[in-house]
Amino acid sequence: MRIAHVTDFYLPRLGGIEMHVRDLAMRQQAAGHEVEVITSSPRPAGERTPERPGDGAGGLRVHRLTETVPFSSWLHPAGLWAGHRMLRKGGYDVVHAHAGPFSPLAFAAAAGAAHVPTVVTVHSLISYLEPAFRALDTGVNWSAWPAVWTAVSDAAAEPLRRLVGPAPVLVLPNGIDASAWRVDPLPREPDEVLVVAVMRLAARKRPVHLLRMLRAAQAAMPPSTRIRAVIVGEGPKRPVLERYLRRHAMTRWVSMPGRLPRSEIRSLFARADLFVAPAILESFGIAALEARCAGLPVVARAEGGIGEFVSDGEEGILADSDSAMTEAIIRLATDAAERHAIAARNRAVPPTVAWPDVVDLTTEMYELAIDRLRPPLKRGLFGMAG
């Protein structure tokens, strides 16, 4: 099968969509499919060699639609026209568009669903944007496009169902290689609890709220226990976080090492005691899933998609407010027995979103999209197909 993954966001930008698209495409290619990535995300200036299988593209052919235009940017309108031409002439059997809250290229790909079988996967919670999507629908009638609509979790699917109904919205989760994230815990300092977060340092992920929770939790620790925290990731909120740490004298026990490769994150998980995910608009939470596979208890908000693989009191604690999250951090930091019991369960019970199952489910979605555009059989006399 010749597959085009269309995404506004792709590596080297780091995030859930970017990593999922690369990992899914690599596994499909290993299964014998011909896979290409079409994106409006440029690489850093100076990196303009073609990305083809076997080179720095990670073994994939990548088309970056805006790299050759002046003022290259993922938002450059030239990407929409170039993407439209490529999808019409590329001879693809199926187009898989990956959309976030604002994804002009992905939705432009979905607009061509009448010509190429198309699956759209929404990777974000869009409930807060429902009025804007409804307004857009009055102009372009996007909810009636003949695409197969999917979302990465039930939480992400629910607002989309309200927008495209009565068309179904199916759940197509992110995948994980649980064995690749399994780690052997390393010895700890008996009086220290290491809290880890992995996120893009952007407002939507609520990193400042995380610092407030950590500060409150540290203040509530008994003399026999102290918290140390590591926040992995980069993003526009880094200067704000650094000022907060300095202002509240937190730099000695909270570190922000920036982006880390997966190997270093795994090593960090081997030393960590719990993982915290403060975002409310979390459609899935791949970093939390990776931590859960490494055996870490997960503390997260209950509103998002993390509840797909973390049950409250079993794989971690789901909270309905920031104050409840702070209490959960304090509870797990001071109760080693509960913390160890959750960690043992997470190491023993793998999640239900392993890559082989996700790849098979993705293929089923492609087949639905192909069937949707297949011409109906003509009927002759007595209702027989002719």
Side-chain angles (χ1 to χ4, degrees):
M1 189 180 295
R2 185 166 162 78
I3 303 166
H5 287 282
V6 183
T7 174
D8 297 75
F9 312 109
Y10 193 65
L11 304 174
R13 176 187 166 106
L14 193 61
I17 295 178
E18 296 88 335
M19 297 302 295
H20 174 76
V21 172
R22 197 279 302 273
D23 290 348
L24 173 59
M26 290 287 288
R27 282 164 172 81
Q28 290 173 327
Q29 185 167 269
H33 299 289
E34 185 179 351
V35 187
E36 299 179 5
V37 175
I38 300 172
T39 182
S40 52
S41 286
R43 288 168 292 173
E47 297 182 21
R48 294 295 185 264
T49 56
E51 292 176 278
R52 299 179 184 277
D55 63 16
L60 294 168
R61 185 171 186 177
V62 181
H63 304 278
R64 296 187 184 269
L65 304 175
T66 64
E67 280 195 341
T68 60
V69 301
F71 308 107
S72 177
S73 165
W74 71 273
L75 275 175
H76 200 292
L80 301 181
W81 299 110
H84 176 74
R85 289 194 304 270
M86 183 167 290
L87 292 175
R88 289 296 297 266
K89 298 178 180 180
Y92 299 107
D93 296 307
V94 66
V95 171
H96 192 162
H98 301 267
F102 185 66
S103 302
L105 179 63
F107 278 100
H115 306 287
V116 183
T118 300
V119 173
V120 180
T121 298
V122 174
H123 290 257
S124 302
L125 290 177
I126 61 171
S127 52
Y128 70 106
L129 290 174
E130 281 190 53
F133 277 103
R134 291 190 187 280
L136 180 63
D137 199 31
T138 61
V140 299
N141 197 29
W142 65 267
S143 64
W145 293 340
V148 172
W149 296 95
T150 68
V152 295
S153 65
D154 272 318
E158 196 54 40
L160 188 59
R161 288 173 180 140
R162 293 193 292 267
L163 291 166
V164 303
V169 177
L170 306 171
V171 174
L172 183 57
N174 290 341
I176 194 165
D177 181 354
S179 62
W181 286 96
R182 194 169 296 123
V183 299
D184 294 323
L186 295 175
R188 269 87 160 158
E189 293 290 336
D191 59 348
E192 180 179 274
V193 173
L194 177 56
V195 179
V196 173
V198 180
M199 67 174 75
R200 179 166 166 77
L201 303 183
R204 188 172 62 88
K205 296 296 185 178
R206 306 177 75 240
V208 175
H209 296 78
L210 173 60
L211 293 186
R212 292 171 182 159
M213 296 176 207
L214 292 172
R215 181 180 170 218
Q218 184 76 291
M221 287 295 103
S224 59
T225 306
R226 67 179 184 274
I227 287 176
R228 187 164 65 88
V230 179
I231 302 172
V232 178
E234 276 296 348
K237 285 294 182 181
R238 171 176 276 276
V240 176
L241 302 179
E242 290 174 339
R243 289 194 296 271
Y244 188 98
L245 293 177
R246 291 193 298 268
R247 184 166 64 250
H248 297 288
M250 298 171 64
T251 55
R252 288 188 176 182
W253 59 278
V254 178
S255 61
M256 297 193 301
R259 287 174 55 169
L260 296 178
R262 284 175 166 175
S263 59
E264 293 187 29
I265 294 174
R266 288 180 71 254
S267 297
L268 177 61
F269 285 170
R271 306 191 306 272
D273 295 289
L274 61 100
F275 183 93
V276 181
I280 296 175
L281 299 174
E282 191 68 86
S283 59
F284 187 81
I286 187 65
L289 177 58
E290 292 164 351
R292 178 239 184 271
C293 290
L296 298 187
V298 175
V299 176
R301 290 291 295 249
E303 296 93 333
I306 291 177
E308 302 277 319
F309 52 84
V310 172
S311 297
D312 185 39
E314 295 186 3
E315 293 83 14
I317 298 176
L318 300 178
D320 57 7
S321 68
D322 286 359
S323 61
M325 279 195 71
T326 301
E327 292 171 3
I329 294 171
I330 296 169
R331 169 177 151 187
L332 290 177
T334 56
D335 189 339
E338 181 180 17
R339 194 170 68 242
H340 295 160
I342 294 175
R345 174 184 172 81
N346 286 351
R347 286 192 291 268
V349 182
T352 59
V353 287
W355 267 120
D357 296 330
V358 172
V359 171
D360 288 345
L361 183 57
T362 302
T363 301
E364 291 179 20
M365 300 300 107
Y366 294 173
E367 291 170 351
L368 285 175
I370 292 169
D371 287 343
R372 186 164 293 184
L373 289 189
R374 185 170 288 145
L377 292 174
K378 293 182 179 180
R379 297 287 170 177
L381 291 176
F382 309 111
M384 300 296 290

